[in-house]
Amino acid sequence: MSERVVLGQKNPEDLEASNDLMTINMGPSHPAMHGTVRLVLQIEGERIVASDVQPGYLHRCFEKEAEYATYNQVFPYTDRLNYLSPMLNNVGFALAVETLLDITDDIPLRTQYIRVMVGEISRITDHLTCIGASAMELGGFTVFLYLIKVREWFYELLEELCGARLTYSYVRIGGVSHDLTENFTIRLKDILARTKNMLSETETMLTNNKIFRDRMENVAIVSKEDAIAWGFTGPCGRASGLDYDVRKDYPYLIYDRLAFDVPVGEHGDCYDRYLVRLEEIKQSMSMLDQCMEQIEPGPIVVDDLRVSMPAKKEVYNTIEGMIAHFKHVVDGVKVPAGETYGFTEGGNGELGFFIVSDGTGRPYKCHVRSPSFTTLQALPFMIKNALISDVIPTFGMINMIGGECDR
Amino acid sequence: MIDTLITIADWPGVKWVILVLMFALPVASLLTWAERRQSAMIQDRLGPNRANIGNIRLWGILHFVADVIKMIGKEDFIPGNAHRGLFKLAPILALVPVLIAFCIIPFGPTIYPHALFDVISTDALQGMIIHGGVANDLTWADQITLQILTIDFGLIFYFAILTFANYGTTLAGWSSYNKLALLGGLRASSQMMSYEVTMGLSLMGLFLIMGTLEPGEIVRQQGPNPWQWGIVLQPVAFLLFFSAAIAETKRAPFDLPEGESEIVGYFVEYSGLRWGMFFLSEFIEIVFISMLITSLFFGGWQVPFLHDDGLYLFGTVTEMNHITVSLLRILSFVMKVFFFCWFQLMIRWTLPRFRPDQLMQLGWKRLLPLALLNTMVTALILLWIQ
């Protein structure tokens, strides 16, 4: 990041030596620190000389809890990682476990399409919330409510699909819990059309708004080299010019069958991060269109009793089904011993699950590589020498999600 | 008897009660509801609509009553280390100057109580004349000017008075013993001081054209023809003044002193009615700014094409008596004020917030030179015309 030198002001180093600074607390309960993170800022006037970022207020022992749950019981926990895009977490975890089980190729095609669709819907809701919340913190409350309204349409659709508005727990090892509802495609098409309108309204209000651009442009610039050094992935990394998208570079599920572009920024400032997110929403929408055309009827779980629950009819009528069901509930899916790192493109970047199995039905170790956490570590460096007001768009565009960052 | 009534009606105190207590304050209170309701309509939601007394609901208008009751009921908290005297003084300093500033607003034409039902007009030679009637000197002797104080230095008075409001916000931030409030207070003082300069200078062109600082006279000079109004004569000044005025009210996009998502605001430590005073003063300022803009740039109480003796439209004259004309003019003033209140709320809910340094740059590097340029160009044009 290029040092911003302001004429007539003292050097930050001199200030740190003298005691001419004010320490100010932002968070953990501060209007802009959504997801409870605490920033301790050393400021001179409104300029930030040094800052200390303290995450961890939302730590819920995800990794430890996962060790006591069967593989399928971990899904509700993953919902609560990035609670703006729970489906992506579900899919990511399922894919990691399936790699260990070595059944990645056996997953029915329809399931793969369903996973991509719900995942992309979740990506849209994630980005919508990020843009909306950032706009709200910059004073554009109207945009926030417009986007939240759109998000709610998608939430309702997913609620119809799996019964929950936010914590879906929809994906299972080897499949998904329900098939798509009858009018899922019809509703999705309708929602996408309406979303297009709302997005264009949002763009009118933000993209070329002088005040908004002034607030976002040239704020918290991260060069490509810095982005790589800090481990940026996802929209933040791509805004810095890092052309890396797991969906494109290491295709999983049926992403290689879809045509989509990966938007890459030039300047690496907050405005680029906003534009990348906006473009990704549009790309996700086009992916959904393609999925709706390509998806075909078929089974939604792997036809393997060791991995998937037997049908209820079998459970009640056959001894094998009954026992398989019992073993699933009590012991969980037996995953061969070994370790794997399964990574997918989450809402904020590369979402990785590192799973070690000791051959039982519960993970021996389950570590999450959360994109929020790696991005957040660059925050002190991004806001150094910026103004207090710059913290808001910077933090907003990092889209740090407490649940995912603190796990 | 009638003379006494006229004297009482012409007394500034009575006019102040009518304009401020009976018009501006209720409108400001309604604006607190209107802002929420209007923003709700913009944002596709319902907004406050439930406050009611029995079955009287009135689309939620009663919410401002509920708000006041809530504020009265709240604990009046003063932080332990706050400077108690200044802490208590600050809200008063924020509220009172605005209430005083209303003195210069001309909210209607001069009313001649003895000629209420006559058709009157102004003649260059004879002064006021009554059409087809007899007027004696007494008819014109008694008059009610619908302006609290007609003072030659009206607008200077306004700038002087409103500067006190700066102290209110700055002291509120400083005396609260809170770092965030202090930052808010600093932002407020720097912002309001910078924008007052532009505000004053933007009006210079108008003063040059009108040759007066007295708002009542400015309104009279603008006349009933819209092409003679300030907005046509000084369009740039209007934009400058309007921007600076919104900055003075400390509302989005200039709501940096509050900046609720950044520094929470200069009044973060205030609660109850003290906070309510800041809140209300903001809305009273909206009303005041609307009145001032109406007066200076949109012909004040003038109705388009309505002269003293009737409507001049398409070459025909529709004669109207004095009371009709006066009422129409007051109504026109009220409508214009409402329009600008609405317009300010629209801006509030459309634009995001500036950053402090950008705000200063806008104020000093863009608006101020533009105001100076506007003054110079106006002066040169006036010189050329002469």
Side-chain angles (χ1 to χ4, degrees), chain B residues 203-235:
Chain B
L203 292 184
M204 284 303 287
L206 200 68
F207 299 158
L208 286 172
I209 294 172
M210 302 289 177
T212 176
L213 286 171
E214 207 276 292
E217 182 57 30
I218 290 178
V219 172
R220 240 165 283 139
Q221 282 198 18
Q222 291 181 60
N225 296 325
W227 56 87
Q228 289 172 339
W229 288 359
I231 177 72
V232 182
L233 301 175
Q234 289 281 300

Side-chain angles (χ1 to χ4, degrees), chain A residues 81-109:
Chain A
L81 285 174
N82 184 343
Y83 32 72
L84 296 181
S85 49
M87 286 295 191
L88 289 169
N89 305 332
N90 282 351
V91 173
F93 181 76
L95 287 178
V97 178
E98 282 158 14
T99 319
L100 264 183
L101 282 165
D102 203 19
I103 53 166
T104 315
D105 299 330
D106 306 335
I107 306 295
L109 207 53

